[in-house]
Amino acid sequence: PSDPLEILPSGVSRKPSLLTLQGPVLAPGQSLTLQCGSDVGYDRFVLYKEGERDFLQRPGQQPQAGLSQANFTLGPVSPSHGGQYRCYGAHNLSSEWSAPSDPLNILMAGQIYDTVSLSAQPGPTVASGENVTLLCQSRGYFDTFLLTKEGAAHPPLRLRSMYGAHKYQAEFPMSPVTSAHAGTYRCYGSRSSNPHLLSHPSEPLELMVSGPSGGSSLPPTGPPSTPASHAKDYTVENLIRMGMAGL
């Protein structure tokens, strides 16, 4: 006989959540753990990567009453681990699976050798309430630039690059700046031919915000990623309000 083929009907019950414990951007050799969880109390979970035929299955654990989760450890990671993941939950007495989780994109850095740089305009030190723009640049071709903030597990911001003065670049405006924007940022370049593979990171840029916070604003890595094919030069606040998602 052939190897068994399991058919998984989905969408019957509420979707679980899927998150990464290391952040969405990794370098080859790092470990990666994806955590699928739900308050439904599923007995088992599966993890599926878009474009692959197989999936991983794990029994559900109950860290506390009313919650269930499963950890999927992948690694050490290689470029092939870059891609879009979803997970599903199910009960032991049922052959039907939940609706899929929201997609989670895992990005692999260091796969493109053209270098990128990151700078702040007018400078890396700014008073609360003022404006600052983070500028990603490269002489090599990139159709998209990504901006990450150290310590944030949210997806990076993505903007389509513009060409001028013999450089490709993207501007990430922040207006008005608050204390939530302070931190260490890095920029990456990517190409639409394989958007899950990134350049090496830029040198880190430390953004310092002086004075009292002007409001409650999420860091720039808070909103979901914007598709490279539809990315526009929005401010961070507009991206947050619009709630763009996915790659």
Side-chain angles (χ1 to χ4, degrees):
S2 68
D3 292 333
L5 173 66
E6 183 173 1
I7 303 298
L8 307 178
S10 66
V12 176
S13 54
R14 191 161 70 247
K15 65 183 180 183
S17 61
L18 181 62
L19 57 88
T20 168
L21 303 185
Q22 285 77 29
V25 180
L26 294 96
Q30 286 186 265
S31 63
L32 170 63
T33 299
L34 302 183
Q35 186 177 91
C36 189
S38 176
D39 59 1
V40 172
Y42 292 120
D43 300 304
R44 50 199 175 115
F45 293 91
V46 297
L47 179 70
Y48 172 75
K49 182 186 174 191
E50 183 178 343
E52 293 193 352
R53 299 175 59 185
D54 298 323
F55 55 84
L56 297 175
Q57 186 167 180
R58 297 286 187 273
Q61 307 294 324
Q62 293 187 338
Q64 62 187 72
L67 299 179
S68 60
Q69 68 181 46
N71 289 342
F72 296 86
T73 299
L74 311 174
V77 296
S78 66
S80 63
H81 286 91
Q84 188 175 93
Y85 293 81
R86 295 178 187 266
C87 75
Y88 302 76
H91 299 286
N92 277 338
L93 300 180
S94 173
S95 61
E96 296 177 332
W97 292 82
S98 71
S101 68
D102 292 333
L104 174 66
N105 293 291
I106 297 299
L107 309 172
M108 297 301 304
Q111 305 308 302
I112 304 174
Y113 293 99
D114 289 315
T115 59
V116 298
S117 64
L118 178 61
S119 60
Q121 298 177 345
T125 301
V126 62
S128 180
E130 294 184 350
N131 301 332
V132 68
T133 296
L134 299 188
L135 178 64
C136 292
Q137 291 184 314
S138 176
R139 292 191 178 276
Y141 168 71
F142 292 105
D143 52 35
T144 305
F145 287 99
L146 297 87
L147 183 68
T148 65
K149 184 172 186 287
E150 191 172 284
H154 303 290
L157 281 181
R158 303 175 66 97
L159 286 179
R160 181 181 296 171
S161 70
M162 304 292 289
Y163 184 75
H166 307 291
K167 291 183 179 180
Y168 294 89
Q169 66 180 38
E171 297 180 353
F172 294 85
M174 305 177 195
S175 173
V177 169
T178 75
S179 60
H181 292 97
T184 301
Y185 293 83
R186 289 177 175 82
C187 178
Y188 300 81
S190 76
R191 296 168 182 162
S192 58
S193 56
N194 197 332
H196 294 100
L197 301 183
L198 308 182
S199 69
H200 289 280
S202 67
E203 291 295 322
L205 182 144
E206 182 75 20
L207 183 64
M208 294 177 285
V209 180
S210 61
S213 174
S216 57
S217 178
L218 291 174
T221 48
S225 303
T226 302
S229 60
H230 297 88
K232 298 180 182 179
D233 191 13
Y234 291 118
T235 64
V236 170
E237 285 72 18
N238 283 342
L239 288 171
I240 293 171
R241 286 197 294 268
M242 295 178 70
M244 295 180 176
L247 272 172

